[in-house]
Amino acid sequence: MGNYTKGPTLLKAWDNWGAGIGYLEDDERTPGLYTASGILGSATELRPAPFKNTVAVGVDESHHYQYFFEESLATSVPVVDAVSGTTFANVGSGTQTHAHAVANQPNRYLLVFVSYTDNANWGVTGVRYAGAYMTDLGAVTDPGITRDKRAFVRKMPTVGANNVSIECAGSSTGDITVEVISFYGVDQTAPYHAYLMQSGTGTAISRTGIDSSATERMVMGIVAANVTATMGAGQTEIANQLVDGATRGAASYKTGAASGSLAYTLSASSG
């Protein structure tokens, strides 16, 4: 009679993964195992749990396993990738470009502020990054109806050094300032908490009582006349620039707080 070698024996098979995967021990009750809870992996995310045999771990001969979990490393606060800025003076109809590099990081987000001359016969009509149109969050106009400030955003912008393209149209000309900031580690489902706009006169530009948190970034952009603009305490500058001796555009950011604040102080009244 020939030798007989017994093949491998299937101990258990799962056909219900309703509770996910990743549980350390078969409890004979959990269907499949469980979904990540936020401790290992993002909540509701299914993560594989590879294991290997070992003789050094376990309470007895039936528990010779080490488990290796791949944890989702979500950033607690969005990380600033890069900032840049530029100006364009007396431009007409057409496209103005500004280079801004976006790093190859997860959950990217791009914010572009554009300040420009308010002119019935000329204006900014759109902004693109790497050829893709950005979402226009809206504009605010100064009380004298001489300057506008707009914000444009885009989730997961193209990686690399690409152009921010400012599209202009009209029969006249105007001035433009551009302030750009890119982030990564941003929630792609709800990338921003709120977008607030206001205009006024005087030397103090401020917003207090902002509903934010330490896991968020607060960003402020302003437009003013030919004045200097000094950002508030704790703010980090994106860009602060004057174009054609007539229009000041500036932007900065700050880590959020439960009742946050952002501010600029102007050297003279502007409105």
Side-chain angles (χ1 to χ4, degrees):
M1 178 180 293
N3 292 331
Y4 172 77
T5 301
K6 184 178 179 180
T9 301
L10 178 65
L11 299 179
K12 181 156 185 171
W14 281 273
D15 59 5
N16 179 353
W17 296 95
I21 57 178
Y23 192 63
L24 290 175
E25 184 177 350
D26 177 17
D27 62 4
E28 302 295 338
R29 296 187 303 275
T30 306
L33 306 176
Y34 69 82
T35 306
S37 65
I39 298 175
L40 290 172
S42 301
T44 74
E45 180 182 16
L46 299 182
R47 305 293 284 181
F51 65 89
K52 69 175 183 179
N53 289 325
T54 175
V55 295
V57 176
V59 295
D60 55 41
E61 292 182 356
S62 65
H63 290 78
H64 292 167
Y65 303 108
Q66 283 183 342
Y67 285 78
F68 298 86
F69 289 86
E70 179 186 359
E71 182 173 0
S72 176
L73 299 177
T75 306
S76 58
V77 179
V79 178
V80 175
D81 165 36
V83 300
S84 64
T86 193
T87 65
F88 303 100
N90 296 312
V91 299
S93 181
T95 300
Q96 309 299 315
T97 60
H98 165 64
H100 181 88
V102 172
N104 187 7
Q105 296 286 352
N107 299 321
R108 301 182 298 279
Y109 199 67
L110 181 66
L111 168 62
V112 176
F113 285 113
V114 179
S115 303
Y116 59 97
T117 308
D118 189 289
N119 187 324
N121 298 313
W122 177 91
V124 171
T125 59
V127 173
R128 291 176 285 122
Y129 182 73
Y133 276 103
M134 301 182 67
T135 300
D136 185 353
L137 296 184
V140 62
T141 303
D142 66 8
I145 317 178
T146 56
R147 301 169 189 85
D148 291 341
K149 187 84 172 185
R150 303 185 81 92
F152 297 83
V153 296
R154 184 166 180 82
K155 293 188 289 186
M156 294 303 288
T158 301
V159 171
N162 299 288
N163 280 335
V164 175
S165 300
I166 314 297
E167 298 181 345
C168 309
S171 59
S172 186
T173 62
D175 301 325
I176 302 171
T177 77
V178 182
E179 298 87 42
V180 186
I181 182 168
S182 49
F183 301 90
Y184 61 89
V186 175
D187 184 343
Q188 298 292 293
T189 302
Y192 64 90
H193 190 156
Y195 176 57
L196 309 172
M197 297 183 290
Q198 69 181 58
S199 66
T201 59
T203 59
I205 304 174
S206 66
R207 171 73 73 163
T208 60
I210 300 172
D211 180 16
S212 186
S213 72
T215 60
E216 298 177 337
R217 298 279 191 182
M218 303 182 298
V219 186
M220 184 178 200
I222 69 162
V223 61
N226 182 5
V227 296
T228 60
T230 304
M231 61 188 177
Q235 293 169 220
T236 300
E237 192 165 82
I238 299 170
N240 189 329
Q241 48 208 352
L242 179 69
V243 58
D244 201 24
T247 299
R248 169 75 61 182
S252 59
Y253 65 91
K254 183 180 180 180
T255 299
S259 182
S261 63
L262 291 164
Y264 274 90
T265 301
L266 306 181
S267 60
S269 178
S270 177

